[in-house]
Amino acid sequence: MAINILVMLAAALIIYFSSELFVNGVEWVGKAFNISQNAVGTVLAAFGTALPESIVTFIAVVFGTTSSQKDIGVGAALGGPLVLSTLAYAIVGISIILFTGKRTSGSCLKFNNKKLARDQVWFMGIFAFKVFLGLVAFSIKPWLGFLFLGAYALYFYKEMSAEVEETTEKLEPLKLCPKSKTPPKSMILTQTLLALIFIFLGSQLFVHNLESLSVALGMPAHLVALLLSPVATELPEIVNAVIWVRQGKEKLALANISGSMMIQATIPSALGIIFTPWLFDTSLIISAIITFIAIIAIWLNLKKHCISAKRLSMNAIFYVIFIACIIFINR
């Protein structure tokens, strides 16, 4: 057990330093290829950081041979949005509070309220449909999984085709070319891809050791998938958010979480719906309810055009409530 914990700590460090390289590289990708800053967060960064969770779901539902293995995939598809809507948003708020004195933009949150609120509505609509499918059984359900892939394709096109906005924020030099003011695209892509590879390896190392630790503690597979694996696989999003907030770029931090939630609501769900019966037990239903409540809380604050760091950080309470509910029904 001690070895598992040490390996998990090492994996977390790999994820952190790889994320430092990744956020630096992906910002340069946006500049080099004339991609809007919002799309850098919602699409490019989100796609990269959501990769570990999507891989966990893909391997579990496609190659899993037992019901418990497929349960891990379904639990991961529900657990990802739960962690993002509660812990990830909360950590953005907590980071803003902690880094107030170090951030270049001061204590104010700088982002497009309307855009973020609209993204939450999109997410809630897609999420509601996938939860509904988890409550009923019918023969053509697997074919509906392709609708989720189409929904993400539409979101991807909308984000990538947005106009490139002007920004006064300066990019830090590319880590691989610290003295170059305009690093070559080949070096930008090399750094970004290398960072993604190490993020993926670190996440997989963390998840596998977490699962071994949970087995030693006697935890059921679906609870591991719902409670522990998503926290581990969402570490890249959380670490990215902390790094961007520290730099005073909470717009990118929030866009990364919002974009990751759209991926989690569509691609892992599509895989689960296509390759499993996609029927929810009590634990999964509770996770869906808590996710809805957390997103509604964010959306209501955004509609008031006033969302503070303290209000963001309060979303962590919903995850605590979820854990309490799971412990209660499984005692």
Side-chain angles (χ1 to χ4, degrees):
M1 187 178 295
I3 293 176
N4 289 130
I5 294 173
L6 288 174
V7 172
M8 286 166 61
L9 289 174
L13 289 174
I14 291 172
I15 293 171
Y16 178 81
F17 289 113
S18 300
S19 294
E20 284 270 12
L21 287 175
F22 179 72
V23 297
N24 174 249
V26 81
E27 286 188 68
W28 275 104
V29 169
K31 182 178 178 61
F33 292 91
N34 202 33
I35 299 171
S36 72
Q37 189 184 46
N38 188 71
V40 167
T42 59
V43 175
L44 299 184
F47 184 81
T49 54
L51 185 62
E53 183 79 358
S54 299
I55 292 294
V56 168
T57 304
F58 177 76
I59 292 174
V61 301
V62 176
F63 299 105
T65 56
T66 65
S67 59
S68 63
Q69 288 174 328
K70 291 187 180 293
D71 284 345
I72 288 177
V74 176
L78 268 291
L82 172 69
V83 170
L84 289 171
S85 63
T86 55
L87 295 183
Y89 274 128
I91 288 173
V92 171
I94 293 169
S95 299
I96 290 172
I97 295 170
L98 292 177
F99 293 122
T100 296
K102 298 180 180 179
R103 293 161 63 248
T104 57
S105 61
S107 59
C108 296
L109 278 71
K110 301 189 300 179
F111 61 92
N112 188 333
N113 288 48
K114 292 182 180 179
K115 171 68 173 61
L116 188 60
R118 187 168 63 248
D119 284 353
Q120 308 313 300
V121 173
W122 268 82
F123 171 81
M124 284 191 287
I126 294 170
F127 192 78
F129 184 49
K130 85 171 188 178
V131 171
F132 167 75
L133 293 180
L135 302 177
V136 296
F138 51 92
S139 59
I140 66 167
K141 185 193 292 188
W143 292 100
L144 297 180
F146 294 99
L147 293 178
F148 290 84
L149 297 178
Y152 185 73
L154 179 61
Y155 176 80
F156 179 91
Y157 173 77
K158 180 174 65 72
E159 293 295 302
M160 294 298 288
S161 60
E163 292 185 5
V164 179
E165 70 275 19
E166 293 185 7
T167 177
T168 57
E169 295 177 351
K170 293 183 178 180
L171 295 184
E172 294 184 354
L174 188 73
K175 302 295 184 182
L176 293 186
C177 299
K179 296 182 180 180
S180 175
K181 293 183 179 180
T182 55
K185 291 181 180 180
S186 59
M187 295 301 291
I188 293 172
L189 293 175
T190 297
Q191 176 178 311
T192 306
L193 291 175
L194 281 176
L196 269 180
I197 290 171
F198 281 104
I199 287 174
F200 174 75
L201 293 175
S203 297
Q204 292 302 299
L205 189 62
F206 195 103
V207 169
H208 291 320
N209 279 271
L210 186 63
E211 290 174 354
S212 299
L213 183 62
S214 64
V215 169
L217 296 174
M219 291 185 65
H222 71 285
L223 289 185
V224 174
L226 199 56
L227 284 173
L228 303 180
S229 291
V231 176
T233 51
E234 301 306 335
L235 272 181
E237 283 94 341
I238 293 171
V239 172
N240 281 4
V242 172
I243 293 170
W244 268 322
V245 168
R246 189 191 65 203
Q247 296 174 353
K249 300 175 181 178
E250 57 266 8
K251 177 180 178 179
L252 282 170
L254 292 168
N256 187 195
I257 295 173
S258 179
S260 295
M261 288 185 65
M262 285 299 298
I263 293 177
Q264 299 294 353
T266 52
I267 295 176
S269 301
L271 294 172
I273 293 167
I274 293 170
F275 292 103
T276 74
W278 194 255
L279 291 172
F280 295 171
D281 61 10
T282 305
S283 298
L284 293 173
I285 293 172
I286 291 173
S287 75
I289 292 171
I290 296 295
T291 301
F292 263 114
I293 294 172
I295 292 300
I296 288 173
I298 293 287
W299 180 74
L300 288 175
N301 282 317
L302 289 169
K303 293 297 288 183
K304 295 177 182 178
H305 305 290
C306 178
I307 182 167
S308 66
K310 290 182 179 178
R311 288 176 178 170
L312 277 176
S313 61
M314 292 295 286
N315 263 39
I317 294 174
F318 296 121
Y319 193 75
V320 174
I321 293 172
F322 169 71
I323 293 175
C325 291
I326 294 300
I327 291 174
F328 177 78
I329 66 173
N330 286 278
R331 61 179 181 175

